Amino acid sequence: QTGERTAVIDGHDVEVDIPRPKVEVDSLAFSPDGRTLVAGFRDAVITVWNTASQVLIRSWVTKTKPDQQFKGWGLKGITPNPVEVRNWSSTLALSHDGHVAVALADHYANVGRWEVETGKLIGRFEGYDSYPRLLGFSTDGTRFATLSRVVRVWDTATTEIIAEMQYDNGGSAAALSPNGKYVAITHADRRITVWEVDTATVKHVLPGAIWGGSWYWTVTFSPDSRLVAAVTYSPIIRVWEVETGELIAELNHWGDGL
């Protein structure tokens, strides 16, 4: 309401069974009631905080095999280039009810799923051949999406793949619709494809940007899943109807005077 700072939560004091030379925060997510804050740190530690008291409730390390030796992402010796390691993100996604946290695990080979209330591992999404990015949950929590060399939509109860969607020309961003029925993927050739998840087929191919032939940086759906919007490299935001593929708005986000 006022823009004033109300609290500072300090992650330096989190104690886990690995050294913590770096504690940068990569991602944050509030529970729906705002009472807890879940944080993903760059050394692969997940923490849950009480927002009123700023007290640490619990924390865990994102490994999915109890007998696995784990050193943390940002420590020397993991790769020949520690700087490159520090640039990797340990992002998390929180289910809409706030009960389940999903985060990268096992040196980016898997995606783990944990109960927020207990920190207990309850499943994992396996089989990645490249670093995955987390696209998030459907509103009802039954589906979860990831982006690597393909976009995958998973059944969160069984951790089985519901659909795989291929992209070409260097897809850089994707989004799962809140109702879990659609995926939108941006392409380096300045297109966006909208896929139906249940059939894993393309519903629409949305045209590329026209200002200097720019491409789309990011894409997202409206909360009711009726609209899909994308931001171009040039100062344009475009909005389409998902059902028809019709362009309904084009906004200049740098202001009318430019």
Side-chain angles (χ1 to χ4, degrees):
Q1 294 297 316
T2 66
E4 295 180 5
R5 185 176 68 188
T6 60
V8 176
I9 294 176
D10 190 351
H12 288 80
D13 299 329
V14 177
E15 295 184 3
V16 293
D17 59 352
I18 60 171
R20 304 196 73 216
K22 302 195 71 65
V23 291
E24 291 96 333
V25 177
D26 270 332
S27 54
L28 295 169
F30 280 102
S31 62
D33 60 11
R35 294 180 180 178
T36 56
L37 178 67
V38 183
F41 288 86
R42 190 158 292 192
D43 60 356
V45 173
I46 303 296
T47 61
V48 183
W49 305 82
N50 181 296
T51 54
S53 64
Q54 295 92 56
V55 170
L56 177 68
I57 301 172
R58 66 188 55 86
S59 63
W60 63 87
V61 176
T62 56
K63 62 178 181 178
T64 66
K65 299 177 182 179
D67 58 345
Q68 181 184 43
Q69 184 181 10
F70 188 81
K71 300 178 180 179
W73 305 141
L75 301 180
K76 277 190 174 183
I78 293 178
T79 74
N81 185 358
V83 174
E84 182 178 329
V85 174
R86 290 197 295 271
N87 286 335
W88 289 123
S89 172
S90 55
T91 53
L92 64 86
L94 193 64
S95 61
H96 288 261
D97 61 10
H99 293 313
V100 178
V102 172
L104 301 185
D106 308 327
H107 299 288
Y108 314 107
N110 297 307
V111 175
R113 189 162 56 103
W114 289 266
E115 286 183 345
V116 172
E117 288 81 359
T118 64
K120 178 183 177 182
L121 179 71
I122 55 177
R124 61 179 180 173
F125 307 107
E126 303 180 73
Y128 289 94
D129 56 359
S130 66
Y131 167 73
R133 292 161 57 187
L134 311 183
L135 303 182
F137 289 89
S138 59
T139 303
D140 62 9
T142 61
R143 294 180 173 185
F144 183 77
T146 58
L147 168 66
S148 58
R149 298 185 189 277
V150 296
V151 176
R152 292 188 175 111
V153 178
W154 308 75
D155 184 304
T156 53
T158 65
T159 64
E160 294 180 353
I161 297 172
I162 297 171
E164 285 190 348
M165 283 141 284
Q166 300 283 342
Y167 60 86
D168 53 8
N169 298 301
S172 60
L176 176 69
S177 64
N179 62 11
K181 294 182 178 180
Y182 305 105
V183 164
I185 306 172
T186 68
H187 300 264
D189 63 358
R190 304 159 189 160
R191 296 175 299 127
I192 293 174
T193 52
V194 177
W195 298 68
E196 291 186 335
V197 172
D198 290 336
T199 61
T201 58
V202 175
K203 182 178 180 66
H204 298 297
V205 178
L206 305 178
I210 56 176
W211 273 36
S214 297
W215 57 88
Y216 295 103
W217 278 113
T218 188
V219 64
T220 189
F221 287 91
S222 60
D224 60 7
S225 301
R226 291 194 314 108
L227 306 175
V228 60
V231 180
T232 71
Y233 181 71
S234 59
I236 293 293
I237 299 170
R238 285 180 169 170
V239 184
W240 297 265
E241 286 189 344
V242 172
E243 189 59 37
T244 64
E246 180 184 355
L247 179 68
I248 62 170
E250 192 168 270
L251 312 171
N252 182 340
H253 62 83
W254 281 2
D256 293 338
L258 297 177

